Amino acid sequence: MVSNFNKMKNKFVKTIVVLVLGSAFFTSCKPKNSSDASAGDAEKAYVAPGKYDEFYNFVSGGFSGQLSVYGLPSGRLFRVIPVFSVDPEKGWGYSEETKPMLNTSHGFVPWDDLHHTELSQTNGEVDGRWVFGNANNTPRIARIDLKTFKTAEIIELPNSGGNHSSPFITENTEYVVAGTRFSVPGDYSNGDVAINTYKENFKGHISFVKVGKEGEMDLAFQIVTPGVNFDLSHAGKGKSHGWFFFSCYNTEQANTLLEVNASQKDKDFIMAVNWKKAEEYLKSGKAKKQSVKYAHNKWNEKTHTATSEIKNEVMVLDAAELKDICYMIPCPKSPHGCDVDPTGEYIVGSGKLAALIPVFSFDKLMSAIQSKKFDGNYGGINVIKYEAALHGEVQKPGLGPLHTEFDGKGNAYTTFFVSSEVVKWDIKSLKVLDRVPTYYSVGHLCIPGGDSKKPFGKYLVAYNKITKDRYLPTGPELAQSAQIFDISGDKMKLVLDFPTIGEPHYAQAAPADLIRNNGQIKFYKIADNNHPYAAKGEKEAKVVRQGNQVHVYMTSIRSHFAPDNIEGIKLGDVVYFHVTNLEQDWDVPHGFAVKGADNGELLIMPGETTTLKWVPNKVGIFPMYCTDFCSALHQEMQGYVRVSPAGSAVPLTWSVGTNLPAATK
Ligand code: RUQ
Ligand code: CUA
């Protein structure tokens, strides 16, 4: 009786502690001295009109599903790229060509939650070719081409529920990885099970997606693990190249009230994955082929069209069976960030509820594995003795550590959500060197190249969850915010605040020249346009009826459409406007919109063909026009479509510059 009572009491106390910590988590504290230190050194952010920024900054858009591109140090917004989102500004997800990009095994999914961006690397250095983004809801990885700043490819991930620990890459972009946040029964097993059979039926899967020379992605293999929540990851580099490190929480395997039930254990894990070994096992036939269903969507720059293919199988390696591909390193209190320093020797785990930061040593990890310094196993995976892999702990760094980046000079910078600060510390000695408040409740941070072998340690950007009093208020929802710090000296100095789009999670940055000079596309050559409905000159403009489908082969050039008068459309018709922009010059898009379309506009780049589907539902005259101010006579860039009743005798005719024959009146 007594011991039972004590157990209950213990559980109760633990619950209270967690709840208190939990609510501190939600509310967070405002740093002391917030008034004096908050002004900033804004002239360092000044980039004179007409001058360029030093860095491109690629910032996740969180629940907007987008990725935004800023300049550093000015904080100027250059572009918002739709990734897992529809965007009426650019017609993304509205034009017929782009719709397949958002296809999944669940059908068209026009939204997601993009948390992390990751630039491609060569030899562990950012190379300016692509930036990857993850979808946290319906698990996907996207590749954005930095020659076009467009989403070029999206691959869905089977056997996953939530893809949070993604899209981190290996040092030559051999792989981009994904780890399931919500463990679920594998798609190849019966998923119709009781939720409280989590421990038995729910599994974790981590995915290794191969990246080819042109960036093309291919799901090479998955590793099945016990059901836990994988949170973040980073690849080894240099000496630890060949390994990947994933933080995980909910090793309690709770399926309800995780804020309490997944916070019971003192330590969860960082899972070290020997992916080179996994590759060997894959080659030697140790993987099981499992039948699943996932979409793989690709953009084709010649046809300006996406295709979506549904794939049906995946190779799965079992971590419990193949003992030397995965090892669990104990890590205090629900680790979130998992970051590897530029040398590849130190692995930093950030326990959201921990009051210290453990730093693990890759060399020690290797010798612990060799001499089998294990502490039992977790679901068949060997658990390394904590001390055996530990380099040391940063003591009293702050409250609620989340993420760490590096400056390449032996310093690490960690964000603290609860105590709202960035703390600089020495990787080897583990001594705290400096701390600055953030406004407020910082999540991720970004140093250009800060998770690569070669950081450009000049600026640090903190991405904050809460802004409270930092900007003019805008109703119930306030701006999310980034803050730039100058880290070139011993002490960090606040430079600038700037608002962001959606909730910023991770961001990456690269020297501007690397991307500016990467062979960016200025316009598409009209001769190379292989779109099946392209009209490569006004002479090719025409309107073709196929049953109730009407295809308009339309051209646009400053400042008219051809054709610009169309008659003979009838109720019940489905009209496709295939608009080819004939311009062959940089920065001359034309837009296209028609009254009453339950769709977006088109924004057509020079040399490109894009299609708007329109189903008119009223009889009458429908104006259409160019939406992008393209010349002094942009307002003249317009036309009319006549819609007649179903069964009308009005023949299908079109023209530009002349009136249609009298017979059509
Ligand atoms: S998360 S605020 Cu979704 Cu990367 Cu840490
Ligand atoms: Cu074309 Cu305005």
Side-chain angles (χ1 to χ4, degrees), residues 620-633:
I621 298 293
F622 289 78
M624 52 189 181
Y625 76 105
C626 172
T627 52
D628 187 330
F629 211 106
C630 49
S631 76
L633 296 170

Side-chain angles (χ1 to χ4, degrees), residues 427-578:
I427 307 171
K428 281 207 181 117
S429 73
L430 305 169
K431 289 229 165 63
V432 171
L433 303 173
D434 188 26
R435 57 179 74 232
V436 282
T438 58
Y439 306 92
Y440 306 94
S441 300
V442 58
H444 275 275
L445 77 168
C446 155
I447 292 172
D451 74 340
S452 73
K453 269 186 183 168
K454 191 181 157 197
F456 304 86
K458 187 167 180 189
Y459 303 110
L460 178 157
V461 190
Y463 296 93
N464 302 319
K465 305 294 186 194
I466 295 166
T467 49
K468 282 182 196 153
D469 48 12
R470 296 296 280 185
Y471 301 105
L472 286 174
T474 51
E477 197 198 356
L478 299 174
Q480 314 272 345
S481 170
Q483 289 189 292
I484 305 177
F485 295 87
D486 177 352
I487 56 164
S488 55
D490 285 346
K491 298 277 166 203
M492 296 176 272
K493 284 200 189 105
L494 178 62
V495 169
L496 186 77
D497 280 24
F498 64 95
T500 62
I501 290 175
E503 180 188 343
H505 290 257
Y506 195 33
Q508 292 236 303
D513 288 345
L514 197 62
I515 291 168
R516 200 158 70 86
N517 302 324
N518 69 355
Q520 278 193 34
I521 308 265
K522 298 193 166 167
F523 58 86
Y524 298 105
K525 282 205 192 101
I526 194 86
D528 294 345
N529 181 330
N530 287 332
H531 192 292
Y533 291 94
K536 296 191 185 183
E538 262 179 42
K539 283 198 192 107
E540 294 180 20
K542 61 184 174 185
V543 183
V544 176
R545 174 179 286 284
Q546 287 169 334
N548 74 330
Q549 288 192 3
V550 178
H551 292 277
V552 181
Y553 294 68
M554 185 181 266
T555 62
S556 63
I557 196 159
R558 281 162 288 180
S559 294
H560 62 276
F561 293 108
D564 66 359
N565 281 200
I566 301 169
E567 299 192 358
I569 307 287
K570 297 166 207 169
L571 282 188
D573 283 347
V574 178
V575 183
Y576 294 90
F577 293 99
H578 308 286

Side-chain angles (χ1 to χ4, degrees), residues 105-126:
S105 63
H106 306 270
F108 183 74
V109 178
W111 169 86
D112 220 298
D113 189 9
L114 193 165
H115 282 215
H116 308 123
T117 60
E118 176 95 329
L119 286 161
S120 55
Q121 294 181 12
T122 305
N123 297 324
E125 296 178 19
V126 293

Side-chain angles (χ1 to χ4, degrees), residues 577-598:
F577 293 99
H578 308 286
V579 186
T580 303
N581 180 346
L582 296 176
E583 307 283 352
Q584 291 288 274
D585 200 358
W586 195 16
D587 202 21
V588 197
H590 290 287
F592 178 82
V594 60
K595 182 185 169 187
D598 59 351

Side-chain angles (χ1 to χ4, degrees), residues 212-427:
K213 286 234 156 49
E214 301 301 315
E216 66 283 12
M217 297 190 284
D218 179 38
L219 179 52
F221 62 91
Q222 293 187 318
I223 300 174
V224 59
T225 72
V228 293
N229 287 38
F230 288 107
D231 209 14
L232 280 145
S233 66
H234 262 106
K237 47 178 94 87
K239 61 161 83 166
S240 53
H241 179 59
W243 289 77
F244 229 104
F245 304 95
F246 290 83
S247 59
C248 57
Y249 64 104
N250 192 25
T251 56
E252 294 86 349
Q253 303 192 308
N255 57 276
T256 180
L257 202 63
L258 265 66
E259 70 168 324
V260 176
N261 296 327
S263 308
Q264 300 295 311
K265 290 194 182 171
D266 282 342
K267 292 196 176 70
D268 294 279
F269 299 119
I270 283 178
M271 186 170 82
V273 180
N274 185 342
W275 59 260
K276 288 250 160 131
K277 195 88 216 166
E279 275 183 334
E280 283 172 28
Y281 282 134
L282 182 70
K283 266 200 203 122
S284 61
K286 291 282 188 327
K288 267 201 204 107
K289 189 184 280 179
Q290 300 287 13
S291 65
V292 293
K293 204 176 154 198
Y294 65 97
H296 186 186
N297 312 329
K298 289 184 197 161
W299 182 256
N300 180 325
E301 283 293 355
K302 296 280 180 197
T303 57
H304 308 290
T305 303
T307 48
S308 176
E309 188 189 344
I310 295 289
K311 297 196 167 161
N312 296 306
E313 54 196 34
V314 62
M315 303 305 287
V316 182
L317 295 161
D318 188 338
E321 227 168 73
L322 306 165
K323 295 284 182 199
D324 50 358
I325 50 175
C326 294
Y327 298 91
M328 294 297 199
I329 312 170
C331 186
K333 287 288 179 203
S334 305
H336 185 60
C338 177
D339 300 285
V340 180
D341 89 308
T343 68
E345 165 64 4
Y346 300 110
I347 302 129
V348 181
S350 296
K352 305 188 286 278
L353 306 175
L356 52 82
I357 306 172
V359 181
F360 300 99
S361 147
F362 181 72
D363 288 343
K364 282 190 156 181
L365 173 66
M366 289 302 101
S367 57
I369 289 171
Q370 219 142 54
S371 52
K372 298 202 159 54
K373 285 193 186 135
F374 299 144
D375 210 352
N377 74 79
Y378 181 81
I381 301 176
N382 285 317
V383 176
I384 308 276
K385 283 206 168 85
Y386 177 67
E387 287 76 18
L390 189 71
H391 162 63
E393 294 167 342
V394 185
Q395 296 297 333
K396 300 219 175 95
L399 283 177
L402 289 187
H403 298 283
T404 301
E405 290 256 292
F406 307 91
D407 64 3
K409 298 179 213 152
N411 302 307
Y413 299 78
T414 302
T415 54
F416 291 84
F417 179 85
V418 179
S419 53
S420 274
E421 58 188 334
V422 177
V423 174
K424 175 181 176 181
W425 50 278
D426 183 281
I427 307 171

Side-chain angles (χ1 to χ4, degrees), residues 60-78:
S60 62
F63 44 75
S64 78
Q66 302 160 330
L67 185 160
S68 37
V69 185
Y70 293 84
L72 294 180
S74 73
R76 296 184 292 196
L77 174 65
F78 301 141

